[in-house]
Structures are given as C-alpha cells and as structure tokens.
Amino acid sequence: MEKELELNDLYDGFRNPEVMKAYAKLIEEDASKLDKTINIMEVCGGHTHTIMKYGVPQLLPSNINFIHGPGCPVCVMPKDKIDSAYALAMQEDIILVTLGDMIKVPGSNGSLQDARSKGADVRFVYSPMDCIKIADENPSKTVVFFAIGFETTTPMTCSLLKTVIAKDMKNLYFHVNHVTVPEVMEVLVQSDDCKIDAFLGPSHVSVISGSKIYEPFPKKYNKPVVVSGFEPVDVMQSIHMLIRQFVENRSDLEVEYKRLVSFEGNLKAQEMIDTYLKKVTFKFRGVGEVPLSGYDLKDEFDKYNAKVIYEKILPKETPKENKACKCPEILKGVAKPTDCKIFGNVCTPTNPVGSCMVSSEGACAAYYKYGNLLK
Amino acid sequence: MKKVTLAHGNGGAENQELISKVFYKAFENEILAKSEDAAIIDNGRLAFTTDSFTVSPIFFNGADIGKLSICGTCNDLAMMGAKPKYLTCSVIIEEGFEVDKLETIVNSMKIELEKNGAKVVSGDTKVVPKGSVDKIFINTTGIGEVQKEGISSNKVSTDDVIIVSRDIGAHGATIFASREGMDMNTDLQSDCASLWPQVEALINENINITALRDATRGGLSAVLNEWAVQSDICIEVNEEAVPVKDEVKGLCELLGFEAMSLANEGTFVLAVKKEDAKKAIEVLSSFENSSNASIIADVTKQYDKKVVLNSPWGTKRFLELPTGELLPRIC
C-alpha cells in the first residue's frame, strides 16, 4: 500500500542537515571560481525571513551577498494608504478587515491597532473569505476589506468579490491595494545605484503568475533569475543554481520550485484577476510611483469600491515620512537594516518606526529577530 | 508605552516591560524581585502564588477554563518544589452565562484539585453586565508547602543541563486552531495538566534540581530567556533535540509562528545537575504526560544572558523573547 502523505513530509526533506551541508560545499566550490562578489536580491520578504532564520549567510562564502528586496506587502504600503485605512476604521458603522501585520504599521495618526484601542472595530483574518461571515453577522454595519498583498493573495480577493456579487451582499466593500512583482523589479534594475547581479524569485508568486513574469530580467537586463521555494534547502539549491550560471557565464530564467511552478502559472486564477481588476499605478513605499504595478477594482464594480463610496472621508494630502528611517533605501536594496541609525534602538518590533520593522516579513524585523550572530 | 495593548499580555518582551515599569516599580520588595513562579514566604516553608484565567474559547480540546485555572496555580507552586495545599477561587461571570456550563467548569476544577491533593478554601463570585467580560474570568490563588528548598531560576549554572518535560506548543496551537474563524480540523489537544505528580517523583528520587518553570505564555523561549538573564548565563539549545509535534509544526508553518514561543499549560523546563540528567529523564518518562522528555540545552558562558539556538547544519542564532501580539487570550 502506498504511504499516505504526512504533514512532516512537506518540510522534513527540505530541512535535511546533510543536504544543507552538501549544498554549502557545492556553493563554496563554485563561488571560488568567481573573481567578484555576487549580489543576490531576494525579492520577497519570505525569503529574507528564511535566510535569516536558518542562518543561510553563515553557510556561504564571503563573495555571496544578499540584498533584500521590496517584496513584503506590508512594508511597501505607503503611509497614505494606511491613513486611508485608519480613516475608514474610525467610521462608526465600519468594520475594517485586513490581513495580519497590516494592523501594526504606523500611519500619520497611528496604526490600525491604535485605532482599535480608540474603539474602532478593526479585525484581521487569515482568509479573506472570513469577511463573508463577519458581514453576515453584522447586518447593520459595513465591512470594508482592506486588501493587501502581491500576486499570491490577489485571487482570494477576487474570489471574495465573486461571492459577494453572487450573494448580492450590500454591506461588504473593498479597498484594493494589491501589487505585482515584476514592475517594481524593473524599476530597481533600471536605477543608477543598482547593485543587483541576480534575483531569487518568490515561488508562490509564480504559482499564480507562472515563471514567465521574470523572462525580461535574464534576457533584457542580463540578471539571472531562479524561482525558489521557501524552505532552507530550496534557498540553498537556488543559490547554487544562480552561482552555476555565473560560473558557466549564462543568464537564464530557471525554476528550482518545480513542485508547483509552471511557465504559464494558474490560468484560472489569472482569468479571475482579469475579470474583476484593472492595472493601475501604485506608489511603493521607498521606490515611488510604479506604473501598472498595482490593481484596483474595474470601474463596473464601483458600487463595491470603498475608494469610490467613501471618497469624501479619505485623506487627500501626502503624509510626511520620518527622515531618520531608512526603509525607502532598504526596500530599494541600496541599504541594509544595520545601516539605519535608528535600527534596534529607537526602532524595534515593539515600537516600529518604519514598516520594514513592523511586518514579520520585513527585512528589519528579520535582522532584529535573527541577525545578531550573522557574520 | 502610553497605552496597554494586547501585546502587553503576550508573556514576552512587552509583557515584561509593563510588569517591570508599572507593577515592580510600585510594589518593589525583595521577594517580588526574585521573579519566581511563586513567592517563597514564611522562612522558606510556604510558596504563594496567584493567576487569572481569561482563555477564549473557554472549552477546547484537552481542557477547559476550569481545569486550566487549577493547573495554572498549582503548577506555579509545584515549580517551586511546593505541594499545592490551599486555593482561593474568584469568579467574574457575564450576565446570561448558562449555569450548566458553569457546573461543567467547576466540576473540572474539582477533578484537578483532587489530582493535586489541594482544596479551595475561600472564594468570591461577581456577576457583571453583558459585555463587561467575555463569558467568564477566573482567578485562583494558592498556597503550597515547600518540599524541596532552594529551587530558583536565579541559580542556573554551567553545572546544569536543561530538560523539557514533553513536546512544546500544544496548548497555544490548540487554542489557535479552535479560534473562531480558523475552521481547522485537528486532533491537537492542549497539554493542560497538573505537574505536581512529576515534580514529587523527581524530589522523591533525590534529583538535584536547580530550577523549574512551567512554559506558559511566551513558551519555552520566554523561560530560557528569563533564566539566562536571571542567572547571568548563556543557554545553548540543540534545536533538533526540542520535541515538537508534527501538528504543532504544521500550524506554525501555516501561520508563521515559532513553536518555541507558543504557550504550554502542562510542560515544564528543568535545570538539573549534569550527573542527574539521565535519571531525571527516566523519572519523567514513566509519566504519560512527559514520556518524551528530552535534554535540550547546555549552560555555557558563550554570550552573557543570551539563548543561542544551534541548527542541525551548524548555524546559530539568538532565540529572542517573543514580541508583539502573538495570540488572543490563551490562559
């Protein structure tokens, strides 16, 4: 009889000490053939977290360097969006619902957590579909789903909207702040101070969008990309694949996470996104306005769009950023968290100044939590 | 720190900040300053402690708020080598609460009191308007007779090794999985249990115990960090040796938690003299609740007041106190 898949099968092999050590040796051998330092940008905060939590840099030779990228949905959220969420949350008849760490990011008037301590009804969910239950249980209130995240969470928001339309629900609106990865990567590689030699592409994004979204980077910009899973062995294997490309003088798009990633991605999810959402300019924190890097509801769904319905109460002015905070430079990959003067003293996970310290996927939070022993 | 947030109740860094900056500052005295699980009073004869229970949901896999309220206080006494003897029980009930649920809770308390050989000798009941509390809050205070003197989290040294009595994180993971909105199907059960029987057996076998602590809010990581600071030592944890159930690991993977920071209600950490470690494991292994007890760490002087986590592939990192709003009310 075939053995049933068990929970630990999902990660045990991908944290195998012998495999980790074997990859460390292979990387060391290949890296010794290179006469320069390779700067690898891990675009996604999830990879930053894995790299720091499992001590990956301690296993690598000194000519491999990580640059942390703008791929944490909480970190890239500009202050004005948080101010919008805050303004919505402070309305008496609104229940503001969002995902995890978003409630901790400080805005001009405070965070959503602060709004909650002032009496606002702010809730976080792990699945956007939970909004249905909240809206059903509170018929006299309006639920606003403050939707955040990259390609991975976007289909869930669409799925929620599909259900809202099917059920003809009248008290669930959307404030959509979804963003996409390739456009912001393009801004980074085109910038004058770009130090990036290669990319680790987030696998979960490609599960939805396919590996095809990274095609321009090796071809047009000569920056190799490996689409990588999030387990420590995935990351080590992906680093080895990248370093091999430099040894062999190649610049290719490769997929390490073949377990789920195809070139085309999840066509059904892509179709659903195309049905409900349109591409818009999004102002990435730190990076600035990136054309066609964000999503909003298509005009035909205006009656569900909180940005349209609550236009009058949403703040218009651009809030000021704390000048001491280096989040913008960190998100662009030109500074490390430890380059920031307020890192670890004024700015801590308990009292975050910048968004990179707030989110558990943020580079500053990862450095603060795991980084102390790094070489 | 201007306002109290849910993060201030996490058993981690914010919780410690609130306690030290508000309560310790006002109540400062030499007994409190020791920051033990229970205060040792009456010339070392008695242990004295109190705890409030506000868990949500009040009924969960493996236990309920009643069992928790007795285990929590009795375990704090046991952690000082004291046999739980007399408890008080103070209950705040929300108007509209069903009496049969109250009876179920109180019956759980009765069963657990018997396991400890302890009695509730005084109590108080308050009923408050709907919405003033979430269903029911229970406070228990306990006095125990010290059976073995000198157990203290301020005395851990390089002569000791660190043992954990069983797999970690089951309580926190169970409560989280049973939260409204999670809709998770799992066989996970809280580890909620009275620990006096194990402690008594260790004492009877003359195990040289330096320190004991139940790993409640803040989990294993909070206990080890507190010991590292209180005893001015470095604790080096062998990550592979820490027992964690697959279901707990899975939930942590899913939700981005660390099992070492999840709460326990029937798991304790021991610092015992190196030469007694094997025997301590033998004693613990004879109990169903601690059959997978393991030696998880050495005490060194490598980094002052720090806990170091050694990975199976040779990397290391500090295991910090948990921060932020980890879970809703878990105890």
Side-chain angles (χ1 to χ4, degrees), chain A residues 19 30 38-39 43 51 62 138 162 177 185 201 203 205 251 271 275 292:
Chain A
V19 180
D30 274 348
I38 305 293
N39 292 309
V43 181
I51 288 164
S62 58
N138 296 277
K162 189 179 176 187
N177 304 283
M185 280 171 68
S203 57
V205 164
S251 178
E271 191 187 314
T275 306
L292 302 178

mmCIF file with all atom_site columns, all heavy atoms in Angstrom, chain A residues 19 30 38-39 43 51 62 138 162 177 185 201 203 205 251 271 275 292:
data_model
loop_
_atom_site.group_PDB
_atom_site.id
_atom_site.type_symbol
_atom_site.label_atom_id
_atom_site.label_alt_id
_atom_site.label_comp_id
_atom_site.label_asym_id
_atom_site.label_entity_id
_atom_site.label_seq_id
_atom_site.pdbx_PDB_ins_code
_atom_site.Cartn_x
_atom_site.Cartn_y
_atom_site.Cartn_z
_atom_site.occupancy
_atom_site.B_iso_or_equiv
_atom_site.pdbx_formal_charge
_atom_site.auth_seq_id
_atom_site.auth_comp_id
_atom_site.auth_asym_id
_atom_site.auth_atom_id
_atom_site.pdbx_PDB_model_num
ATOM 1   N N   . VAL A 1 19  ? 21.810  17.558 3.468   1.00 0.00 ? 19  VAL A N   1
ATOM 2   C CA  . VAL A 1 19  ? 21.605  18.238 2.181   1.00 0.00 ? 19  VAL A CA  1
ATOM 3   C C   . VAL A 1 19  ? 22.079  19.693 2.272   1.00 0.00 ? 19  VAL A C   1
ATOM 4   O O   . VAL A 1 19  ? 22.727  20.217 1.355   1.00 0.00 ? 19  VAL A O   1
ATOM 5   C CB  . VAL A 1 19  ? 20.109  18.171 1.754   1.00 0.00 ? 19  VAL A CB  1
ATOM 6   C CG1 . VAL A 1 19  ? 19.897  18.870 0.422   1.00 0.00 ? 19  VAL A CG1 1
ATOM 7   C CG2 . VAL A 1 19  ? 19.640  16.724 1.673   1.00 0.00 ? 19  VAL A CG2 1
ATOM 8   N N   . ASP A 1 30  ? 31.954  26.342 -6.283  1.00 0.00 ? 30  ASP A N   1
ATOM 9   C CA  . ASP A 1 30  ? 31.664  27.163 -7.462  1.00 0.00 ? 30  ASP A CA  1
ATOM 10  C C   . ASP A 1 30  ? 32.024  28.629 -7.242  1.00 0.00 ? 30  ASP A C   1
ATOM 11  O O   . ASP A 1 30  ? 32.564  29.285 -8.142  1.00 0.00 ? 30  ASP A O   1
ATOM 12  C CB  . ASP A 1 30  ? 30.180  27.043 -7.841  1.00 0.00 ? 30  ASP A CB  1
ATOM 13  C CG  . ASP A 1 30  ? 29.940  25.837 -8.735  1.00 0.00 ? 30  ASP A CG  1
ATOM 14  O OD1 . ASP A 1 30  ? 30.945  25.265 -9.212  1.00 0.00 ? 30  ASP A OD1 1
ATOM 15  O OD2 . ASP A 1 30  ? 28.784  25.466 -8.951  1.00 0.00 ? 30  ASP A OD2 1
ATOM 16  N N   . ILE A 1 38  ? 28.965  38.349 -5.787  1.00 0.00 ? 38  ILE A N   1
ATOM 17  C CA  . ILE A 1 38  ? 27.660  38.273 -6.438  1.00 0.00 ? 38  ILE A CA  1
ATOM 18  C C   . ILE A 1 38  ? 26.607  38.789 -5.455  1.00 0.00 ? 38  ILE A C   1
ATOM 19  O O   . ILE A 1 38  ? 26.456  38.240 -4.357  1.00 0.00 ? 38  ILE A O   1
ATOM 20  C CB  . ILE A 1 38  ? 27.312  36.818 -6.834  1.00 0.00 ? 38  ILE A CB  1
ATOM 21  C CG1 . ILE A 1 38  ? 28.405  36.200 -7.714  1.00 0.00 ? 38  ILE A CG1 1
ATOM 22  C CG2 . ILE A 1 38  ? 25.940  36.760 -7.521  1.00 0.00 ? 38  ILE A CG2 1
ATOM 23  C CD1 . ILE A 1 38  ? 28.551  36.823 -9.076  1.00 0.00 ? 38  ILE A CD1 1
ATOM 24  N N   . ASN A 1 39  ? 25.914  39.852 -5.851  1.00 0.00 ? 39  ASN A N   1
ATOM 25  C CA  . ASN A 1 39  ? 24.834  40.399 -5.018  1.00 0.00 ? 39  ASN A CA  1
ATOM 26  C C   . ASN A 1 39  ? 23.500  39.815 -5.474  1.00 0.00 ? 39  ASN A C   1
ATOM 27  O O   . ASN A 1 39  ? 23.043  40.109 -6.580  1.00 0.00 ? 39  ASN A O   1
ATOM 28  C CB  . ASN A 1 39  ? 24.782  41.922 -5.141  1.00 0.00 ? 39  ASN A CB  1
ATOM 29  C CG  . ASN A 1 39  ? 26.002  42.577 -4.517  1.00 0.00 ? 39  ASN A CG  1
ATOM 30  O OD1 . ASN A 1 39  ? 26.347  42.279 -3.373  1.00 0.00 ? 39  ASN A OD1 1
ATOM 31  N ND2 . ASN A 1 39  ? 26.672  43.434 -5.262  1.00 0.00 ? 39  ASN A ND2 1
ATOM 32  N N   . VAL A 1 43  ? 13.741  38.965 -3.663  1.00 0.00 ? 43  VAL A N   1
ATOM 33  C CA  . VAL A 1 43  ? 12.710  39.984 -3.844  1.00 0.00 ? 43  VAL A CA  1
ATOM 34  C C   . VAL A 1 43  ? 11.719  39.942 -2.679  1.00 0.00 ? 43  VAL A C   1
ATOM 35  O O   . VAL A 1 43  ? 11.259  40.959 -2.181  1.00 0.00 ? 43  VAL A O   1
ATOM 36  C CB  . VAL A 1 43  ? 11.964  39.747 -5.177  1.00 0.00 ? 43  VAL A CB  1
ATOM 37  C CG1 . VAL A 1 43  ? 10.904  40.815 -5.397  1.00 0.00 ? 43  VAL A CG1 1
ATOM 38  C CG2 . VAL A 1 43  ? 12.950  39.727 -6.320  1.00 0.00 ? 43  VAL A CG2 1
ATOM 39  N N   . ILE A 1 51  ? 16.233  33.142 5.014   1.00 0.00 ? 51  ILE A N   1
ATOM 40  C CA  . ILE A 1 51  ? 17.688  33.333 5.003   1.00 0.00 ? 51  ILE A CA  1
ATOM 41  C C   . ILE A 1 51  ? 18.197  33.658 6.407   1.00 0.00 ? 51  ILE A C   1
ATOM 42  O O   . ILE A 1 51  ? 19.197  33.107 6.867   1.00 0.00 ? 51  ILE A O   1
ATOM 43  C CB  . ILE A 1 51  ? 18.056  34.454 3.995   1.00 0.00 ? 51  ILE A CB  1
ATOM 44  C CG1 . ILE A 1 51  ? 17.852  33.925 2.563   1.00 0.00 ? 51  ILE A CG1 1
ATOM 45  C CG2 . ILE A 1 51  ? 19.473  34.947 4.194   1.00 0.00 ? 51  ILE A CG2 1
ATOM 46  C CD1 . ILE A 1 51  ? 17.814  35.008 1.502   1.00 0.00 ? 51  ILE A CD1 1
ATOM 47  N N   . SER A 1 62  ? 32.310  34.415 1.444   1.00 0.00 ? 62  SER A N   1
ATOM 48  C CA  . SER A 1 62  ? 32.147  35.863 1.627   1.00 0.00 ? 62  SER A CA  1
ATOM 49  C C   . SER A 1 62  ? 31.840  36.601 0.318   1.00 0.00 ? 62  SER A C   1
ATOM 50  O O   . SER A 1 62  ? 31.446  37.761 0.356   1.00 0.00 ? 62  SER A O   1
ATOM 51  C CB  . SER A 1 62  ? 33.408  36.445 2.265   1.00 0.00 ? 62  SER A CB  1
ATOM 52  O OG  . SER A 1 62  ? 34.516  36.143 1.441   1.00 0.00 ? 62  SER A OG  1
ATOM 53  N N   . ASN A 1 138 ? -23.057 40.937 11.024  1.00 0.00 ? 138 ASN A N   1
ATOM 54  C CA  . ASN A 1 138 ? -23.206 42.359 11.386  1.00 0.00 ? 138 ASN A CA  1
ATOM 55  C C   . ASN A 1 138 ? -23.973 43.117 10.307  1.00 0.00 ? 138 ASN A C   1
ATOM 56  O O   . ASN A 1 138 ? -23.427 44.018 9.648   1.00 0.00 ? 138 ASN A O   1
ATOM 57  C CB  . ASN A 1 138 ? -21.815 42.990 11.582  1.00 0.00 ? 138 ASN A CB  1
ATOM 58  C CG  . ASN A 1 138 ? -21.062 42.384 12.739  1.00 0.00 ? 138 ASN A CG  1
ATOM 59  O OD1 . ASN A 1 138 ? -21.261 42.766 13.896  1.00 0.00 ? 138 ASN A OD1 1
ATOM 60  N ND2 . ASN A 1 138 ? -20.209 41.419 12.442  1.00 0.00 ? 138 ASN A ND2 1
ATOM 61  N N   . LYS A 1 162 ? -16.394 37.797 -6.052  1.00 0.00 ? 162 LYS A N   1
ATOM 62  C CA  . LYS A 1 162 ? -17.295 36.923 -6.820  1.00 0.00 ? 162 LYS A CA  1
ATOM 63  C C   . LYS A 1 162 ? -18.435 36.425 -5.919  1.00 0.00 ? 162 LYS A C   1
ATOM 64  O O   . LYS A 1 162 ? -19.610 36.441 -6.309  1.00 0.00 ? 162 LYS A O   1
ATOM 65  C CB  . LYS A 1 162 ? -16.488 35.733 -7.361  1.00 0.00 ? 162 LYS A CB  1
ATOM 66  C CG  . LYS A 1 162 ? -17.233 34.881 -8.347  1.00 0.00 ? 162 LYS A CG  1
ATOM 67  C CD  . LYS A 1 162 ? -16.342 33.745 -8.849  1.00 0.00 ? 162 LYS A CD  1
ATOM 68  C CE  . LYS A 1 162 ? -17.166 32.852 -9.769  1.00 0.00 ? 162 LYS A CE  1
ATOM 69  N NZ  . LYS A 1 162 ? -16.427 31.659 -10.168 1.00 0.00 ? 162 LYS A NZ  1
ATOM 70  N N   . ASN A 1 177 ? -5.518  47.164 -2.590  1.00 0.00 ? 177 ASN A N   1
ATOM 71  C CA  . ASN A 1 177 ? -4.138  47.673 -2.634  1.00 0.00 ? 177 ASN A CA  1
ATOM 72  C C   . ASN A 1 177 ? -3.182  46.571 -3.088  1.00 0.00 ? 177 ASN A C   1
ATOM 73  O O   . ASN A 1 177 ? -2.060  46.476 -2.605  1.00 0.00 ? 177 ASN A O   1
ATOM 74  C CB  . ASN A 1 177 ? -3.725  48.146 -1.239  1.00 0.00 ? 177 ASN A CB  1
ATOM 75  C CG  . ASN A 1 177 ? -4.688  49.169 -0.701  1.00 0.00 ? 177 ASN A CG  1
ATOM 76  O OD1 . ASN A 1 177 ? -4.642  50.318 -1.092  1.00 0.00 ? 177 ASN A OD1 1
ATOM 77  N ND2 . ASN A 1 177 ? -5.592  48.750 0.180   1.00 0.00 ? 177 ASN A ND2 1
ATOM 78  N N   . MET A 1 185 ? 10.499  45.334 -9.795  1.00 0.00 ? 185 MET A N   1
ATOM 79  C CA  . MET A 1 185 ? 11.847  44.798 -10.066 1.00 0.00 ? 185 MET A CA  1
ATOM 80  C C   . MET A 1 185 ? 12.482  45.570 -11.229 1.00 0.00 ? 185 MET A C   1
ATOM 81  O O   . MET A 1 185 ? 13.674  45.866 -11.211 1.00 0.00 ? 185 MET A O   1
ATOM 82  C CB  . MET A 1 185 ? 11.768  43.308 -10.430 1.00 0.00 ? 185 MET A CB  1
ATOM 83  C CG  . MET A 1 185 ? 11.620  42.385 -9.230  1.00 0.00 ? 185 MET A CG  1
ATOM 84  S SD  . MET A 1 185 ? 11.258  40.661 -9.718  1.00 0.00 ? 185 MET A SD  1
ATOM 85  C CE  . MET A 1 185 ? 12.764  40.146 -10.514 1.00 0.00 ? 185 MET A CE  1
ATOM 86  N N   . GLY A 1 201 ? 13.602  34.608 -7.200  1.00 0.00 ? 201 GLY A N   1
ATOM 87  C CA  . GLY A 1 201 ? 12.193  34.961 -7.419  1.00 0.00 ? 201 GLY A CA  1
ATOM 88  C C   . GLY A 1 201 ? 11.305  34.176 -6.476  1.00 0.00 ? 201 GLY A C   1
ATOM 89  O O   . GLY A 1 201 ? 11.545  33.000 -6.218  1.00 0.00 ? 201 GLY A O   1
ATOM 90  N N   . SER A 1 203 ? 8.554   31.871 -5.210  1.00 0.00 ? 203 SER A N   1
ATOM 91  C CA  . SER A 1 203 ? 7.836   30.785 -5.897  1.00 0.00 ? 203 SER A CA  1
ATOM 92  C C   . SER A 1 203 ? 6.325   30.943 -5.818  1.00 0.00 ? 203 SER A C   1
ATOM 93  O O   . SER A 1 203 ? 5.609   30.651 -6.767  1.00 0.00 ? 203 SER A O   1
ATOM 94  C CB  . SER A 1 203 ? 8.235   29.447 -5.305  1.00 0.00 ? 203 SER A CB  1
ATOM 95  O OG  . SER A 1 203 ? 7.969   29.436 -3.924  1.00 0.00 ? 203 SER A OG  1
ATOM 96  N N   . VAL A 1 205 ? 4.486   33.511 -5.855  1.00 0.00 ? 205 VAL A N   1
ATOM 97  C CA  . VAL A 1 205 ? 4.005   34.456 -6.865  1.00 0.00 ? 205 VAL A CA  1
ATOM 98  C C   . VAL A 1 205 ? 3.873   33.733 -8.207  1.00 0.00 ? 205 VAL A C   1
ATOM 99  O O   . VAL A 1 205 ? 2.876   33.872 -8.921  1.00 0.00 ? 205 VAL A O   1
ATOM 100 C CB  . VAL A 1 205 ? 4.981   35.661 -6.972  1.00 0.00 ? 205 VAL A CB  1
ATOM 101 C CG1 . VAL A 1 205 ? 4.744   36.450 -8.256  1.00 0.00 ? 205 VAL A CG1 1
ATOM 102 C CG2 . VAL A 1 205 ? 4.841   36.571 -5.759  1.00 0.00 ? 205 VAL A CG2 1
ATOM 103 N N   . SER A 1 251 ? 22.939  33.576 -18.435 1.00 0.00 ? 251 SER A N   1
ATOM 104 C CA  . SER A 1 251 ? 21.942  34.397 -17.753 1.00 0.00 ? 251 SER A CA  1
ATOM 105 C C   . SER A 1 251 ? 20.569  33.860 -18.148 1.00 0.00 ? 251 SER A C   1
ATOM 106 O O   . SER A 1 251 ? 20.029  34.201 -19.191 1.00 0.00 ? 251 SER A O   1
ATOM 107 C CB  . SER A 1 251 ? 22.086  35.867 -18.173 1.00 0.00 ? 251 SER A CB  1
ATOM 108 O OG  . SER A 1 251 ? 21.072  36.623 -17.539 1.00 0.00 ? 251 SER A OG  1
ATOM 109 N N   . GLU A 1 271 ? -7.327  34.442 -14.880 1.00 0.00 ? 271 GLU A N   1
ATOM 110 C CA  . GLU A 1 271 ? -8.572  34.840 -15.553 1.00 0.00 ? 271 GLU A CA  1
ATOM 111 C C   . GLU A 1 271 ? -9.497  35.583 -14.573 1.00 0.00 ? 271 GLU A C   1
ATOM 112 O O   . GLU A 1 271 ? -10.129 36.583 -14.920 1.00 0.00 ? 271 GLU A O   1
ATOM 113 C CB  . GLU A 1 271 ? -9.253  33.569 -16.072 1.00 0.00 ? 271 GLU A CB  1
ATOM 114 C CG  . GLU A 1 271 ? -10.405 33.810 -17.016 1.00 0.00 ? 271 GLU A CG  1
ATOM 115 C CD  . GLU A 1 271 ? -11.117 32.507 -17.344 1.00 0.00 ? 271 GLU A CD  1
ATOM 116 O OE1 . GLU A 1 271 ? -10.444 31.502 -17.642 1.00 0.00 ? 271 GLU A OE1 1
ATOM 117 O OE2 . GLU A 1 271 ? -12.362 32.492 -17.243 1.00 0.00 ? 271 GLU A OE2 1
ATOM 118 N N   . THR A 1 275 ? -10.948 39.395 -14.724 1.00 0.00 ? 275 THR A N   1
ATOM 119 C CA  . THR A 1 275 ? -12.385 39.675 -14.713 1.00 0.00 ? 275 THR A CA  1
ATOM 120 C C   . THR A 1 275 ? -12.724 40.859 -13.813 1.00 0.00 ? 275 THR A C   1
ATOM 121 O O   . THR A 1 275 ? -13.561 41.689 -14.158 1.00 0.00 ? 275 THR A O   1
ATOM 122 C CB  . THR A 1 275 ? -13.161 38.423 -14.221 1.00 0.00 ? 275 THR A CB  1
ATOM 123 O OG1 . THR A 1 275 ? -12.770 37.328 -15.028 1.00 0.00 ? 275 THR A OG1 1
ATOM 124 C CG2 . THR A 1 275 ? -14.664 38.622 -14.284 1.00 0.00 ? 275 THR A CG2 1
ATOM 125 N N   . LEU A 1 292 ? 1.532   50.698 -13.598 1.00 0.00 ? 292 LEU A N   1
ATOM 126 C CA  . LEU A 1 292 ? 0.948   49.358 -13.815 1.00 0.00 ? 292 LEU A CA  1
ATOM 127 C C   . LEU A 1 292 ? 1.455   48.296 -12.835 1.00 0.00 ? 292 LEU A C   1
ATOM 128 O O   . LEU A 1 292 ? 1.558   47.124 -13.177 1.00 0.00 ? 292 LEU A O   1
ATOM 129 C CB  . LEU A 1 292 ? 1.206   48.901 -15.260 1.00 0.00 ? 292 LEU A CB  1
ATOM 130 C CG  . LEU A 1 292 ? 0.676   49.824 -16.353 1.00 0.00 ? 292 LEU A CG  1
ATOM 131 C CD1 . LEU A 1 292 ? 1.032   49.293 -17.731 1.00 0.00 ? 292 LEU A CD1 1
ATOM 132 C CD2 . LEU A 1 292 ? -0.833  49.999 -16.243 1.00 0.00 ? 292 LEU A CD2 1
#
